Amino acid sequence: MSQENVVESLLGETTQKKKSRIPARLDFLQSATGLFLAIFMIFHMLFVSTILISKDFMLSVTKAFELNFIFEGGSPVPVFIAISIVFVVFIFHAFLAMRKFPISYRQYLRLKTNSDLMNHGDTKLWIIQVVTGFALFFLGSIHLYTMLTNPGNIGPYASSDRVFSDLMWPLYIVLLIAVEFHGSIGLYRLSVKWGWFEGEDSKVSRKKLKKAKIILTVVMLTLGVMTLMAYMKIGYDHQENYGEKYMHTTEVNHAN
Amino acid sequence: MQIKYTDALIIGGGLAGLRSAISTTDKGLNTIVLSLVPVKRSHSAAAQGGMQASLGNSIMGEGDNEDVHFSDTVKGSDWGCDQEVARMFVNTAPKAIRELAAWGVPWSRVKKGDKETVINAEKTTITEKDEAHGLITARDFGGTKKWRTCYTADATGHTMLYAVTNEAMKRGVVIEDKKEAISLITKDGQCFGAIVRDLKNGELTAYVAKGTMIATGGYGRIYKQSTNATICKGTGHAIALDAGAYLGNMEAIQFHPTPIVPSGILLTEGCRGDGGVLRDKDGYRFMPDYEPEKQDLASRDVVSRRMLEHINKGKGVKSPYGDHLWLDISILGRKHIEKNLRDVQDISKTFNDIDPADEGEKGWMPVLPMQHYSMGGIRTTPQGQSITLKGLFSAGESACWDMHGFNRLGGNSVSETVVSGMIVGNYFADYCKETDINIDTKMVQEALTEQDNYLDELLALDGNESIYDIKDEMRHIMQNKVGIFRNGKDLEEAVKELKALLKKTKNINITNKHRLLNQELEEAYKVPMMLKVALCVAKGARDRTESRGAHYREDYLKRDDENWLNRTLSYWANEDDWEPTLAYEELDIMKMEIAPGFRGYGKKGLIIENPLSQKRQDEIDKITQAHVGDRYELQNKLMPYELQSEYKSINQRLGDENE
Amino acid sequence: MSREITITTLKYNPSDENSKPTFVDYKLEETPGMTLYIALSKIKATLDHDLTSDFVCRAGICGACGMIINGKPKLACKTLTSEFKDARIELLPLPTFKLIKDLSVDTGSWMKNMSMRVNSWIVTNEEYDISKFEKRIEPEVADEIFELDRCIECGLCVAGCSTAIMREDFVGAVGLNRVARFSIDPHDSRTDEDFYELIGDDEGIFGCMSLLACEDYCPKNLPLQSKIAYMRRKMVKV
């Protein structure tokens, strides 16, 4: 046990009679991990939605992540590493964000009453974040663990089979909604929290940010639902051949 | 019941009380400040337009100094003030404002170069000097020769109050909110503290102190229509009166020209100071007709009377709340209003749904003169101590030390609060340091028990009068019979009716018998206090058969220097009396620095001259002509006065080397 | 055309052991331009002498009369009864602050603690002589400080804040704004490190979750969002 920690925990200040810098770091890291995850979420959506263009395109993107330009035919290792990083950030973000949750009945009651009485937009948005964040503890973990254990199993058929035949789709529907709301609200909050895009008049820019947030939610949700439906359809059509991997059309032609 | 001991006890947590507390704390005294409300909510916060101090930084204030400020103040008072006190004040005001600047009041500053402004309803460009850049600037106000009113937009009192409260907290002044002093502890003509009721739980405590100061502000709430906050009930005056203190010039009540109709919320004089004008029902700007020189910016008593005079000619705008006039600031432009008159705009928008920045008639705000300020108060020496009760001091609006006489200039009151907190606060501190009291705890306990029994008695009253009706009637009487225009008949009736009301308070019935937190019980002990104060005002006004400053008698139109160049003193001679006893204190013309004369505004030819005035004028002329040396030496020859050396020192100004 | 309005308030006197928290309805006739100050004064004078609330300046300047009005934290003196189309108004005392009685709460003690905690005053070693010129300040800087100095400590930002509702020790937007105010004042010599000592923790700047009810309910329209963000950026760099 370091004496420094003992002093701080007892007295609330360091041995130099200064306040600890840890709360500042934690606040920064909460935002930084959130930003990372939100950006990841956007790109993740863009990548998986490539299925809407074509199976081939989706496969090419997947292979690119498997670094097939370095490893012949691609390797699951880079994907595994990427997922591991995201998982760690995800857990860390959850750990930090948890500090803000209501943790007793009294806190919960006061928060809920205040929010219901006021009917205040940004306060309600935060409650949505608390609820979706709580859901993501489980949904996100399941998804991330699944992917971590199957890093090579991403592709037009593999993913579709997972969605349809492995019965992941109910989870994905809820996960999709939770992530999109949590992420877009989170991005909006990060902006007002740190004063990004503030411009001359913060009241005007906040209105714009709010509009951008709504657009982001709608676009991402629409895209997400369409993508999920596409995988469902492929998975449904492909249930007889469960487990079979998709071959790029050029490769199929070549094999023929 | 509890007894608390302290060195200095200050009743009232506005600017005067808190600044005094800083003085006492700086001299090492334990100080307690009691306040009816959290101190930052004190009525000082409502002072909008600004604080007068003759810094002379702005080009429009060039050439300003203590002498000009002094002359404006004396003329404003209609020669009713104590000129020595006015001198003490004008010399300390620049120091007060500089101290406040160092404490963080964000005074608006001079910006070098051209600046567009509105003077006499016309757009004018003024050019500020380079060397004044960054120094405190000032705006124009009524009754002043120079632009002398320093400001932070229209929230000047607010920023001052916050800065002074912050400094008091920094120094460890004990500030106790929601405490009401309901009587003073006295014995043999000396004050030893107060009996205090805790408004959070209803309990009584005796505060024993070497010295006690009352800084409770004005008593405007005895009127039906007043710009004053709900707490300005004059209870501080009433407890002093009960304890044997004398009140001075209680009839000197100021009516502000521009509260908004009907809510009675003040629109600052800064509106007109910055170039706004008054208009009648035809949209006509009428003030220049009455007051060719100062126009809309004559002193408040004069403008208020001219407005009513104009309404009586049938020029008022009809409304469900009676006739009113318009205040037009739209000519200043939206940009100026949204920067410097923001609270005015907010008030007008919220309460009247009028945006004063809208051009033309649409933006005009309905205004009518209403009670605003109490020039009178606890009569003290220039050092702030009661002239009859040892150990009792008073500062700010609650005091009559007496720098305003019969009319106060706009911007001089908020200035007086801090200045008196410095000067009187320091004398008060000296008194507390020098005094050791020997007090019998039994006597304190008795004083406490007496108040405790009094509250029980009030609760036990089993009459048929409602304290709320009595209060309403009092405020109605004051409004209608002791208002801007006064006459003997109405005043006689007012005194009679107020006396009858005071008697009625012994025959009330309090519906809720709960002893601790009970609003009705509070009214029951406050209304009799207010009635006593109201009686001092009405009786003083009845007997003063002249017109001076804000005291205007339709049956005695002239200022009577021959018979009435004096100060009214009112006191409660016997506990069982139903009205105050009056006495008078002469003002010594032969000691005045400025002999009585015409103010430069208001109606001419309405003075009954005192032969001594001319005699004194000749003396002054002689001294002035024979004088060799600077203006400070001349001043000293004309009227020497005492002031703490740190406040008497010379104030630095731009262009000093030219003197 | 006047109408009848119903004002429902919470009544409770903690100093009276027989008192229980109850809701009471008052019906009264609305008059033109009626504010809640006028309405409550009328109720006190005619319907219920004992109803307690805090009004001082009744002009939106002193900050005494904050209440929850139909769910939202507002200044009662500046609220017109005509705003409520269904003629029903429900009044509650501000949360977070200690209840004195009915609608009256102890904002004074809370604000005093806040002021002491953030050292809400100028700190400097610079000497000044009150007989000499004041320190020169750029006019724009003075205006900027004034902008933040307009806070009236009404407590609406605290009452609307979900962090303050849940965590009693949170310093609130009022406290963070105060620190921002002194941090831009050239009279004040404190550094960011010094300010970190005052608000650099989860009860201070890092407790704020940016829900912005403070900004939305501030009756003075203070730029709270912007200034809290400003302080956060500064404090995180310390």
Side-chain angles (χ1 to χ4, degrees):
Chain A
M1 197 75 242
S2 92
Q3 290 185 342
E4 187 61 45
N5 283 353
V6 173
V7 167
E8 199 191 323
S9 82
L10 279 174
L11 306 174
E13 52 188 15
T14 64
T15 48
Q16 301 306 305
K17 293 187 75 169
K18 293 276 181 204
K19 265 210 164 96
S20 162
R21 299 295 188 250
I22 299 294
R25 306 286 167 270
L26 296 182
D27 192 57
F28 174 78
L29 283 172
Q30 186 186 337
S31 292
T33 50
L35 179 65
F36 173 87
L37 291 169
I39 292 171
F40 170 75
M41 159 206 100
I42 293 172
F43 283 99
H44 178 285
M45 178 56 73
L46 292 178
F47 296 138
V48 295
S49 64
T50 49
I51 197 73
L52 294 171
I53 298 170
S54 75
K55 295 193 189 84
D56 283 352
F57 188 49
M58 191 264 176
L59 184 68
S60 315
V61 170
T62 311
K63 287 295 164 197
F65 279 104
E66 290 177 3
L67 307 184
N68 64 347
F69 43 89
I70 299 172
F71 309 107
E72 179 66 36
S75 157
V77 176
V79 178
F80 177 83
I81 292 170
I83 297 172
S84 304
I85 293 169
V86 171
F87 209 172
V88 169
V89 175
F90 173 82
I91 292 168
F92 197 46
H93 180 74
F95 173 74
L96 291 171
M98 214 171 59
R99 300 174 304 147
K100 310 286 181 186
F101 281 27
I103 48 159
S104 68
Y105 167 67
R106 176 122 186 96
Q107 283 188 359
Y108 166 77
L109 180 71
R110 285 173 66 86
L111 173 68
K112 170 123 182 26
T113 312
N114 190 49
S115 168
D116 289 353
L117 279 172
M118 284 199 305
N119 196 22
H120 174 252
D122 281 30
T123 302
K124 282 195 293 189
L125 287 181
W126 184 70
I127 291 181
I128 293 175
Q129 265 193 306
V130 171
V131 173
T132 52
F134 189 73
L136 286 170
F137 278 147
F138 311 102
L139 305 173
S141 296
I142 294 169
H143 176 57
L144 282 161
Y145 186 76
T146 312
M147 299 322 291
L148 203 60
T149 49
N150 297 287
N153 239 346
I154 303 172
Y157 286 157
S159 299
S160 300
D161 287 345
R162 188 160 39 247
V163 169
F164 186 81
S165 301
D166 290 351
L167 281 179
M168 287 298 275
W169 61 268
L171 182 129
Y172 282 164
I173 290 174
V174 186
L175 179 63
L176 172 72
I177 295 169
V179 165
E180 299 314 335
F181 274 101
H182 193 92
S184 53
I185 296 171
L187 279 175
Y188 161 74
R189 188 156 344 273
L190 281 178
S191 310
V192 294
K193 192 171 194 169
W194 296 95
W196 301 338
F197 319 110
E198 207 172 75
E200 287 277 293
D201 185 345
S202 62
K203 291 182 202 299
V204 174
S205 60
R206 179 167 158 221
K207 275 196 191 122
K208 286 187 190 153
L209 283 169
K210 216 163 197 175
K211 204 178 262 173
K213 175 197 78 75
I214 293 168
I215 293 171
L216 184 64
T217 311
V218 171
V219 169
M220 296 303 269
L221 267 181
T222 317
L223 201 57
V225 169
M226 283 164 61
T227 305
L228 194 57
M229 275 165 40
Y231 283 113
M232 286 281 280
K233 169 136 197 332
I234 299 168
Y236 176 80
D237 295 341
H238 192 251
Q239 54 187 313
E240 302 302 324
N241 302 315
Y242 177 85
E244 176 209 27
K245 293 231 166 143
Y246 180 76
M247 301 283 279
H248 204 280
T249 21
T250 50
E251 284 176 42
V252 176
N253 291 342
H254 188 71
N256 287 344
Chain B
M1 278 174 281
Q2 215 193 341
I3 302 178
K4 275 195 185 181
Y5 299 88
T6 183
D7 294 329
L9 177 67
I10 296 174
I11 302 167
L15 277 170
L18 290 166
R19 182 59 189 80
S20 299
I22 290 173
S23 298
T24 53
T25 312
D26 282 350
K27 292 205 172 179
L29 296 156
N30 278 327
T31 305
I32 296 180
V33 175
L34 303 175
S35 175
L36 284 176
V37 294
V39 288
K40 284 177 176 170
R41 314 213 187 291
S42 303
H43 195 48
S44 303
Q48 299 172 359
M51 158 168 178
Q52 282 209 42
S54 56
L55 297 176
N57 292 328
S58 160
I59 192 77
M60 299 303 287
E62 204 173 30
D64 199 7
N65 60 34
E66 296 84 4
D67 297 349
V68 188
H69 191 186
F70 173 73
S71 154
D72 285 345
T73 303
V74 172
K75 287 175 185 167
S77 81
D78 224 353
W79 274 271
C81 72
D82 181 332
Q83 296 197 4
E84 286 182 34
V85 170
R87 263 293 168 192
M88 293 160 75
F89 164 72
V90 296
N91 211 60
T92 311
K95 299 181 177 74
I97 203 164
R98 285 171 169 161
E99 181 178 80
L100 289 167
W103 290 353
V105 175
W107 299 110
S108 289
R109 302 285 170 148
V110 178
K111 192 177 171 65
K112 63 185 172 194
D114 288 353
K115 181 180 150 190
E116 201 151 88
T117 177
V118 175
I119 300 174
N120 196 12
E122 273 172 40
K123 284 218 164 77
T124 314
T125 302
I126 56 175
T127 310
E128 296 287 4
K129 286 180 297 193
D130 286 3
E131 61 264 37
H133 185 77
L135 294 174
I136 297 170
T137 189
R139 58 163 47 133
D140 199 6
F141 245 48
T144 63
K145 277 222 158 60
K146 302 281 177 186
W147 287 25
R148 187 188 298 129
T149 306
C150 307
Y151 61 97
T152 56
D154 55 358
T156 314
H158 165 84
T159 53
M160 290 170 68
L161 182 62
Y162 272 52
V164 173
T165 309
N166 289 339
E167 285 297 315
M169 284 194 284
K170 172 169 145 187
R171 287 165 169 75
V173 174
V174 178
I175 297 172
E176 298 190 15
D177 294 345
K178 297 240 176 197
K179 295 276 167 79
E180 178 172 34
I182 57 171
S183 79
L184 295 175
I185 305 168
T186 56
K187 198 184 173 189
D188 303 331
Q190 189 172 353
C191 179
F192 298 101
I195 305 297
V196 175
R197 187 166 171 270
D198 187 332
L199 301 175
K200 286 185 208 166
N201 59 26
E203 275 160 21
L204 296 184
T205 304
Y207 284 69
V208 175
K210 293 179 181 175
T212 305
M213 173 184 276
I214 292 185
T216 52
Y219 43 87
R221 282 275 147 181
I222 60 174
Y223 282 83
K224 188 165 176 230
Q225 286 187 310
S226 167
T227 63
N228 285 189
T230 60
I231 49 172
C232 304
K233 292 188 165 119
T235 49
H237 299 87
I239 60 173
L241 197 61
D242 278 343
Y246 281 28
L247 307 183
N249 283 347
M250 292 297 279
E251 67 271 30
I253 301 274
Q254 180 171 82
F255 294 82
H256 194 288
T258 61
I260 201 162
V261 176
S263 61
I265 294 165
L266 181 69
L267 304 177
T268 173
E269 187 157 312
C271 292
R272 284 170 293 133
D274 287 3
V277 296
L278 292 163
R279 298 186 188 279
D280 64 14
K281 66 170 184 181
D282 306 317
Y284 178 69
R285 186 182 170 211
F286 58 92
M287 276 308 292
D289 295 354
Y290 294 100
E291 297 294 332
E293 198 188 322
K294 293 294 298 181
Q295 306 173 335
D296 298 87
L297 280 175
S299 68
R300 288 177 179 174
D301 56 328
V302 171
V303 177
S304 292
R305 278 197 296 274
R306 296 300 198 185
M307 288 168 73
L308 291 192
E309 207 178 324
H310 200 62
I311 288 177
N312 289 342
K313 286 182 186 164
K315 295 291 184 183
V317 186
K318 300 263 177 263
S319 90
Y321 304 98
D323 293 359
H324 64 76
L325 293 162
W326 298 117
L327 174 62
D328 175 11
I329 60 170
S330 63
I331 49 176
L332 307 181
R334 184 169 289 277
K335 201 175 142 213
H336 179 91
I337 292 169
E338 289 182 350
K339 177 161 182 263
N340 287 319
L341 296 168
R342 184 148 51 166
D343 275 359
V344 166
Q345 186 186 34
D346 185 31
I347 287 165
S348 174
K349 274 178 159 177
T350 309
F351 296 100
N352 292 62
D353 203 17
I354 293 169
D355 182 352
D358 283 347
E359 270 177 43
E361 216 166 319
K362 212 174 137 210
W364 298 353
M365 302 176 283
V367 292
L368 190 66
M370 291 179 200
Q371 193 285 339
H372 178 60
Y373 188 81
S374 322
M375 273 76 74
I378 297 165
R379 177 67 189 132
T380 70
T381 62
Q383 290 76 39
Q385 185 164 207
S386 161
I387 56 170
T388 48
L389 196 56
K390 210 179 149 215
L392 180 73
F393 285 71
S394 185
E397 189 177 352
S398 64
C400 176
W401 57 330
D402 151 22
M403 68 164 270
H404 302 305
F406 278 77
N407 177 64
R408 166 180 76 77
L409 294 184
N412 258 359
S413 70
V414 86
S415 195
E416 178 196 26
T417 58
V418 258
V419 168
S420 67
M422 294 163 82
I423 299 172
V424 173
N426 263 304
Y427 284 123
F428 175 58
D430 293 341
Y431 173 88
C432 295
K433 273 187 98 106
E434 289 156 10
T435 309
D436 267 314
I437 56 169
N438 220 332
I439 189 163
D440 184 0
T441 50
K442 197 168 152 227
M443 190 267 273
V444 177
Q445 192 60 49
E446 277 168 10
L448 199 49
T449 312
E450 192 187 327
Q451 290 307 314
D452 196 41
N453 293 341
Y454 173 60
L455 295 182
D456 284 339
E457 281 162 28
L458 285 176
L459 279 178
L461 286 177
D462 191 23
N464 48 16
E465 302 287 348
S466 151
I467 197 72
Y468 289 88
D469 293 346
I470 294 173
K471 184 170 84 172
D472 274 356
E473 226 172 300
M474 168 192 71
R475 298 179 68 197
H476 196 74
I477 294 166
M478 293 305 290
Q479 187 72 29
N480 293 325
K481 297 182 175 169
V482 200
I484 298 183
F485 292 118
R486 300 169 174 180
N487 65 66
K489 184 176 150 285
D490 282 353
L491 291 167
E492 180 63 42
E493 281 173 20
V495 173
K496 227 196 258 162
E497 289 165 10
L498 291 169
K499 265 163 74 177
L501 286 179
L502 186 57
K503 286 178 188 164
K504 274 189 185 177
T505 61
K506 306 289 177 200
N507 191 33
I508 56 165
N509 193 338
I510 300 174
T511 44
N512 180 348
K513 301 294 181 192
H514 184 64
R515 170 58 204 272
L516 295 176
L517 292 187
N518 181 344
Q519 293 268 293
E520 207 179 348
L521 176 63
E522 277 175 32
E523 291 289 323
Y525 68 73
K526 279 183 185 175
V527 173
M529 291 183 175
M530 294 169 82
L531 275 164
K532 285 184 175 178
V533 171
L535 272 161
C536 292
V537 177
K539 194 171 175 185
R542 183 193 73 184
D543 288 7
R544 182 171 282 275
T545 49
E546 66 152 353
S547 291
R548 182 181 298 275
H551 173 68
Y552 188 82
R553 288 283 298 254
E554 294 166 316
D555 43 356
Y556 297 93
L557 293 171
K558 291 186 175 174
R559 188 180 94 199
D560 185 353
D561 288 349
E562 181 124 45
N563 299 298
W564 286 103
L565 198 55
N566 59 20
R567 195 169 286 125
T568 309
L569 298 175
S570 41
Y571 60 101
W572 222 263
N574 301 294
E575 211 182 312
D576 306 328
D577 285 353
W578 295 106
E579 61 179 289
T581 307
L582 301 186
Y584 294 92
E585 184 187 348
E586 292 303 317
L587 300 186
D588 188 350
I589 295 176
M590 296 313 289
K591 282 190 175 163
M592 289 182 182
E593 190 178 329
I594 304 178
F598 176 60
R599 297 164 92 187
Y601 42 80
K603 284 183 183 158
K604 283 187 183 158
L606 285 174
I607 303 172
I608 299 172
E609 300 268 3
N610 187 317
L612 287 177
S613 299
Q614 192 52 51
K615 195 174 160 206
R616 177 60 181 158
Q617 189 57 52
D618 293 343
E619 240 179 53
I620 294 169
D621 292 345
K622 220 170 95 194
I623 297 171
T624 313
Q625 276 156 21
H627 174 71
V628 191
D630 64 19
R631 63 186 179 89
Y632 303 101
E633 288 159 18
L634 174 62
Q635 193 284 320
N636 192 46
K637 277 185 197 157
L638 289 171
M639 187 186 69
Y641 67 98
E642 247 181 74
L643 182 63
Q644 291 102 331
S645 58
E646 68 265 38
Y647 301 143
K648 203 160 186 182
S649 61
I650 291 174
N651 297 304
Q652 188 182 22
R653 281 190 189 80
L654 290 172
D656 269 350
E657 60 279 9
N658 303 333
E659 274 194 8
Chain C
M1 221 350 246
S2 78
R3 57 174 188 167
E4 189 187 70
I5 55 170
T6 306
I7 295 182
T8 307
T9 75
L10 179 74
K11 281 207 75 184
Y12 178 45
N13 182 357
S15 79
D16 180 356
E17 57 186 28
N18 296 320
S19 167
K20 287 200 181 97
T22 43
F23 283 89
V24 181
D25 284 353
Y26 303 100
K27 289 186 195 308
L28 65 161
E29 194 173 316
E30 188 175 47
T31 51
M34 186 183 242
T35 61
L36 277 175
Y37 164 67
I38 297 171
L40 287 173
S41 301
K42 209 166 169 187
I43 292 172
K44 277 186 230 182
T46 56
L47 301 172
D48 182 353
H49 294 330
D50 192 41
L51 180 65
T52 307
S53 54
D54 291 318
F55 287 100
V56 182
C57 77
R58 50 91 177 91
I61 290 165
C62 77
C65 64
M67 303 176 189
I68 302 293
I69 300 168
N70 280 4
K72 301 197 189 292
K74 284 179 146 188
L75 292 182
C77 74
K78 280 181 80 181
T79 304
L80 297 167
T81 54
S82 57
E83 284 173 31
F84 305 98
K85 298 291 166 239
D86 63 352
R88 294 193 67 87
I89 302 166
E90 187 182 80
L91 304 178
L92 299 172
L94 288 186
T96 308
F97 304 100
K98 187 170 179 282
L99 180 72
I100 295 174
K101 180 169 177 283
D102 304 339
L103 298 169
S104 168
V105 293
D106 189 1
T107 50
S109 303
W110 197 100
M111 292 297 166
K112 204 190 293 170
N113 287 341
M114 178 279 294
S115 290
M116 299 304 285
R117 178 158 145 207
V118 304
N119 292 347
S120 160
W121 45 73
I122 297 282
V123 176
T124 180
N125 292 321
E126 218 171 292
E127 294 285 324
Y128 57 90
D129 179 346
I130 56 176
S131 300
K132 299 281 180 305
F133 282 130
E134 62 274 16
K135 186 185 176 104
R136 284 172 199 265
I137 304 292
E138 282 303 311
E140 292 77 16
V141 173
D143 291 347
E144 206 184 324
I145 301 165
F146 171 70
E147 188 64 28
L148 307 188
D149 215 22
R150 288 166 51 243
C151 167
I152 55 173
E153 294 192 359
C154 59
L156 298 190
C157 59
V158 178
C161 173
S162 296
T163 306
I165 283 276
M166 292 193 289
R167 298 181 175 86
E168 273 176 15
D169 297 332
F170 182 53
V171 71
V174 57
L176 298 173
N177 174 67
R178 190 61 49 82
V179 174
R181 178 242 175 275
F182 285 105
S183 78
I184 59 170
D185 194 326
H187 292 98
D188 201 308
S189 61
R190 281 176 285 187
T191 61
D192 287 351
E193 278 79 18
D194 296 326
F195 290 121
Y196 189 95
E197 291 306 306
L198 303 172
I199 54 162
D201 53 29
D202 284 345
E203 289 76 44
I205 187 82
F206 305 123
C208 165
M209 307 189 294
S210 309
L211 310 194
L212 303 183
C214 54
E215 165 114 351
D216 294 339
Y217 294 123
C218 176
K220 288 285 163 188
N221 276 317
L222 295 177
L224 296 171
Q225 175 207 330
S226 166
K227 289 304 148 189
I228 294 174
Y230 166 77
M231 284 316 295
R232 192 190 297 275
R233 292 197 300 269
K234 268 176 165 275
M235 291 300 102
V236 89
K237 280 185 210 143
V238 166

